Amino acid sequence: MTLTLTVSDEVRALAPGFTHVAIEAHGLVNGPSTEASSALLDDAARRLAVRLDGRAPHEDPHMVAWREVYTAFGSKPSRTRNSAEALARRALSDGGLPRINVLVDLYNAISVAHLIPVGGEDTDRIQGAMTLQRAVGDEEFVTVAGGEEVVEHPDAGEVVWCDAAGVTCRRWNWRQGPRTRLTEETTSAVFLLESLAPMPVAEVERAGAELAELLEKFSPGARITVHAPA
């Protein structure tokens, strides 16, 4: 892998059942949401409804596991939901899922359909290796509030994704920083699918394979590598 991804021992100890699948892609073509990417989001919402069969997203066993882990590192899961639960709630609401851009639409569709947190990072904007670790509390997370760039600091013990420049995503997969998010100019990216037991690893692999197929369909000729679960 061109980009090095490391999960710290502290995070492994906190969540022994954690697995992630990384998809590395180069030569991508992005742009505004299209009818095709929008249709994928609508289909994902339908698949989610079938999967839940009348339950609320937070009642799904996989979401229960994420809530337990969030509680374990000091976050309130009903206030700061993992990305999959937050998207699922929007998918089932009257407003439906947001349309961001083609690449984000693709990975959001996979997240909702499989009820699994999925993120995308622009590898041209990442500095050095990426590490999933428990924060000390003095790390910098650059975000935007009220139209102005602000610097936040994660809570001590909070699980964060970091690169050499600072935090790229807070509370594991709750909020991504603007620096590395996928924009319409993105051509290279890494996509992370994150799961906890009791979700079978095979299901994470299926979700990864489906996302890789979509990337190939929407970016013909892109170089896509699906890495083994880690």
Side-chain angles (χ1 to χ4, degrees):
M1 178 180 280
T2 305
L3 175 67
T4 302
L5 299 172
T6 303
V7 179
S8 73
D9 291 341
E10 284 186 318
V11 172
R12 293 289 187 193
L14 179 72
F18 173 63
T19 300
H20 71 275
V21 169
I23 301 173
E24 200 170 2
H26 301 278
L28 295 168
V29 178
N30 201 10
S33 299
T34 64
E35 287 187 10
S37 70
S38 183
L40 284 172
L41 292 170
D42 289 337
D43 182 61
R46 289 189 289 268
R47 291 168 65 183
L48 173 68
V50 171
R51 182 189 192 95
L52 291 173
D53 192 24
R55 294 174 300 173
H58 71 267
E59 296 174 307
D60 179 88
H62 192 214
M63 296 298 94
V64 170
W66 276 106
R67 282 186 164 228
E68 290 173 350
V69 166
Y70 267 52
T71 299
F73 66 74
S75 290
K76 294 182 178 179
S78 59
R79 189 175 66 185
T80 55
R81 296 177 176 88
N82 75 79
S83 64
E85 183 182 329
L87 270 179
R89 286 168 58 90
R90 294 191 70 171
L92 299 174
S93 71
D94 291 340
L97 288 164
R99 274 58 173 165
I100 309 297
N101 57 55
V102 169
L103 292 178
V104 175
D105 290 352
L106 298 188
Y107 79 69
N108 279 349
I110 295 300
S111 176
V112 168
H114 291 269
L115 204 52
I116 179 173
V118 184
E121 305 277 352
D122 188 324
T123 49
D124 290 332
R125 297 172 180 267
I126 294 170
Q127 299 185 31
M130 291 188 67
T131 304
L132 185 65
Q133 63 191 51
R134 302 196 70 172
V136 175
D138 60 0
E139 296 90 347
E140 292 192 350
F141 178 72
V142 180
T143 186
V144 176
E148 299 291 330
E149 186 175 282
V150 296
V151 177
E152 298 178 353
H153 301 283
D155 300 326
E158 181 183 322
V159 176
V160 294
W161 277 103
C162 294
D163 67 1
V167 174
T168 59
C169 195
R170 284 197 60 188
R171 295 195 176 103
W172 208 312
N173 47 42
W174 166 65
R175 178 174 293 168
Q176 182 186 27
R179 172 170 58 89
T180 59
R181 67 176 49 152
L182 305 187
T183 69
E184 293 180 15
E185 288 71 47
T186 297
T187 58
S188 294
V190 60
F191 300 88
L192 285 173
L193 298 86
E194 302 180 310
S195 73
L196 296 169
M199 177 171 277
V201 173
E203 184 164 352
V204 189
E205 291 181 296
R206 283 194 295 273
E210 186 178 345
L211 178 54
E213 289 176 5
L214 289 175
L215 293 171
E216 290 170 352
K217 176 181 177 180
F218 281 79
S219 293
R223 303 182 306 281
I224 299 166
T225 303
V226 181
H227 295 276

